[in-house]
Amino acid sequence: MGVGKSTVGQLLAEQLGVGYRDTDDDIVAEQGRSIADIFVDEGEPFFRALEKQAVRRAVAEHPGVLALGGGAILDEDTRTLLAGQRVVYLSMDVEEAVRRTGLNKARPLLAVNPRRQWRELMEARRHLYEEVATAVVPTDARSPEEVTRAVLDAVELKEA
């Protein structure tokens, strides 16, 4: 959350001359409401089912840069689907998350005590991100352009 996946994903797609797609955007477009509203109205299990379908569809249909929501890797089938793909985990520590977002945006999983909840989410998810990642790219104190270059280097897609 707040790591810059959308910004970096779009820059990466531009650099590579391919399309960009975000599964969170797919869900919002399909449902006609925000992710926060889906969480409030239907609950997390409902959202995760939508997310699993959106990721499966996007991986099958989209040949370019694909950004996944932070919880997509919670699903074992999704992790299996990502095996063998180029997957980049954009990492960030809590201080950077606070600096970037203030942890005060509409983040349904961070509604109460956002710092503690962010840390707990990361402790629960970090090993899953690392499990599926081809590369881990720290984003702390880096501009989106610097992160994009680091991603290209990490997955060896830079121009010769």
Side-chain angles (χ1 to χ4, degrees), residues 24-35 37-38 41 50:
D24 283 351
D25 293 342
D26 291 351
I27 293 167
V28 168
E30 178 184 288
Q31 293 292 306
R33 55 190 167 153
S34 72
I35 290 173
D37 286 344
I38 295 168
D41 296 343
L50 294 174

Side-chain angles (χ1 to χ4, degrees), residues 69-108:
I73 50 81
L74 296 172
D75 181 73
E76 185 176 347
D77 292 337
T78 297
R79 293 192 307 275
T80 299
L81 181 65
L82 295 174
Q85 303 284 331
R86 285 187 178 137
V87 178
V88 177
Y89 161 35
L90 299 178
S91 69
M92 160 176 76
D93 65 25
V94 70
E95 289 76 21
E96 184 76 1
V98 169
R99 187 183 72 71
R100 288 187 189 181
T101 69
L103 294 179
N104 61 0
K105 292 188 177 180
R107 308 279 187 189

Side-chain angles (χ1 to χ4, degrees), residues 143-159:
S143 71
E145 293 77 16
E146 290 169 324
V147 174
T148 301
R149 282 191 298 278
V151 169
L152 289 169
D153 288 345
V155 295
E156 300 178 349
L157 291 174
K158 62 185 175 200
E159 292 183 30

Side-chain angles (χ1 to χ4, degrees), residues 128-139:
L128 298 173
Y129 294 145
E130 291 170 349
E131 174 187 319
V132 301
T134 306
V136 178
V137 175
T139 64

